[in-house]
Amino acid sequence: MNRVTKMPPQPCAGTSVATTHECQVRRAKRSRNRGSYADDLIDFAILWRPWNGATAEDIFVTFGLSPRTYFNRLRSALSGPAGSDLCTALKKELAQLGPA
């Protein structure tokens, strides 16, 4: 259940920000076994997804990066091995967050 919207996970075909994707739930259950920088970038984006991404201040405090650099690195992480467990719809949503 999504702790923000109190809604159960939706099939990965859904694209609404208010829904939690099934792949997101699977990723969260396996998150203790990962720890790469790319995984951290993706997990942070998923955490802030309900609010259309984190603020510049939150990005800087967490990663020490400007928003542009963070979102460029996030897009690279989504296309790499760290993003392989996410559905295409969620990857697309996360890649559209932040500046182009």
Side-chain angles (χ1 to χ4, degrees), residues 13-85:
T15 58
S16 171
V17 171
T19 62
T20 301
H21 290 253
E22 287 177 354
C23 63
Q24 183 180 339
V25 173
R26 287 191 306 269
R27 181 180 179 83
K29 288 179 181 177
R30 293 192 303 260
S31 66
R32 292 187 190 114
N33 299 328
R34 295 186 322 266
S36 74
Y37 183 68
D39 286 314
D40 291 343
L41 293 170
I42 293 171
D43 291 341
F44 185 78
I46 290 171
L47 176 70
W48 283 95
R49 180 175 156 255
W51 298 278
N52 293 320
T55 65
E57 180 181 0
D58 290 311
I59 293 169
F60 184 77
V61 167
T62 305
F63 295 102
L65 301 172
S66 70
R68 183 170 300 280
T69 302
Y70 166 77
F71 288 110
N72 286 338
R73 291 184 184 180
L74 172 63
R75 289 181 190 101
S76 295
L78 289 168
S79 62
S84 64
D85 57 350

